[in-house]
Amino acid sequence: KGANVLLGPGVNVHRSARGGRNFEYLSGEDPYLGARLAGAYVEAVQSEGVMAVVKHFAFNEQETHRYGESSDVDDRIAWELYYPPFQAAIRAGASAVMCAYNRVNGTAACENGDLLMRDLRARLGFRGFVMSDWGATPSDRAVARGLDMEMPEAAWFTDHKLETAPADAVSDAAVRILTSVYRLRLDARPGCVLPCKTELMSQQSSEKHKELAFEVAASSVVLLQNRGVLPFDPATVRTI
């Protein structure tokens, strides 16, 4: 359909069984599984000339007060449980990361310097651009704290408001976005010419696509059988 950006993969590790986005998060409850799937997903998508946007960074795992709760997480839990899928996606060359609605340790994720500048860029080595979730930009200060692109439109990142932002921060944000565009050669192969009406209205789904989706879904179902293993006997099992 002419798209050159895909808002995925979603890789948050399930923390609450009632999380409203759990159905689309690749990781399930297992950061190792998420890491294996995230890297492969990013490589496949971007091999077709489409940017992958890994989301939602970070700790956006619950539905209650999704838009403003504070996920208070220490370093060990972050790196052992929640960051591995993002780390794998970044190593695979993800073009962008989407920051989340929630707060992290009291500060909005999309203007959280510890999250975006320290953890994402310095420690995880991310070199692409950070895009906000829809309406998640809390202020124009976010550009100096690691956010590069406000979505879906400019409410805070307007010409007028960015005039008072640090010039180097605005320049760095523009460079990161354009670098991602040029890296996938979207300047030369944009996919379509705006407003892309013909491509957007086209039917890209085929019977083969539907058959493949059904086959993948059926093959992914795992039936667990208890063959005398459970319950564990504490007298004989000391380490799991």
Side-chain angles (χ1 to χ4, degrees), residues 66-81:
R66 168 183 289 277
Y67 298 103
E69 61 84 21
S70 179
S71 297
D72 298 336
V73 185
D74 65 27
D75 267 5
R76 180 177 179 182
I77 296 300
W79 288 94
E80 291 186 2
L81 186 59

Side-chain angles (χ1 to χ4, degrees), residues 50-216:
V50 177
M51 288 186 186
V53 182
V54 189
K55 60 184 186 182
H56 299 91
F57 196 73
F59 316 119
N60 191 227
E61 277 85 17
Q62 73 179 52
E63 204 59 33
T64 304
H65 306 303
R66 168 183 289 277
Y67 298 103
E69 61 84 21
S70 179
S71 297
D72 298 336
V73 185
D74 65 27
D75 267 5
R76 180 177 179 182
I77 296 300
W79 288 94
E80 291 186 2
L81 186 59
Y82 294 109
Y83 282 173
F86 289 98
Q87 187 172 31
I90 289 167
R91 286 176 175 172
S95 295
V97 166
M98 181 183 290
C99 55
Y101 286 117
N102 56 284
R103 297 176 180 273
V104 176
N105 296 328
T107 302
C110 286
E111 64 173 17
N112 190 316
D114 288 344
L115 184 70
L116 301 180
M117 302 295 283
R118 184 192 66 191
D119 289 359
L120 182 63
R121 298 198 191 283
R123 295 179 177 176
L124 286 170
F126 179 58
R127 300 179 65 186
F129 68 93
V130 177
M131 170 195 300
S132 77
D133 205 339
W134 268 223
T137 304
S139 76
D140 54 343
R141 295 187 300 272
V143 73
R145 300 178 183 178
L147 180 62
D148 302 311
M149 178 185 291
E150 179 182 10
M151 293 296 289
E153 58 191 8
W156 293 103
F157 283 19
T158 63
D159 291 345
H160 174 68
K161 291 179 179 178
L162 290 181
E163 285 179 358
T164 59
D168 58 343
V170 176
S171 177
D172 288 346
V175 167
R176 285 190 283 261
I177 294 167
L178 291 173
T179 298
S180 297
V181 169
Y182 292 135
R183 186 164 67 91
L184 291 188
R185 296 308 312 274
L186 297 181
D187 57 315
R189 299 186 294 271
C192 66
V193 179
L194 292 174
C196 303
K197 289 183 178 180
T198 301
E199 289 81 3
L200 288 172
M201 296 300 293
S202 67
Q203 175 57 263
Q204 298 296 322
S205 179
S206 68
E207 288 304 314
K208 286 187 176 181
H209 293 148
K210 295 174 184 177
E211 291 172 4
L212 177 60
F214 181 85
E215 179 184 343
V216 170

Side-chain angles (χ1 to χ4, degrees), residues 16 33 109 166:
S16 169
L33 173 65

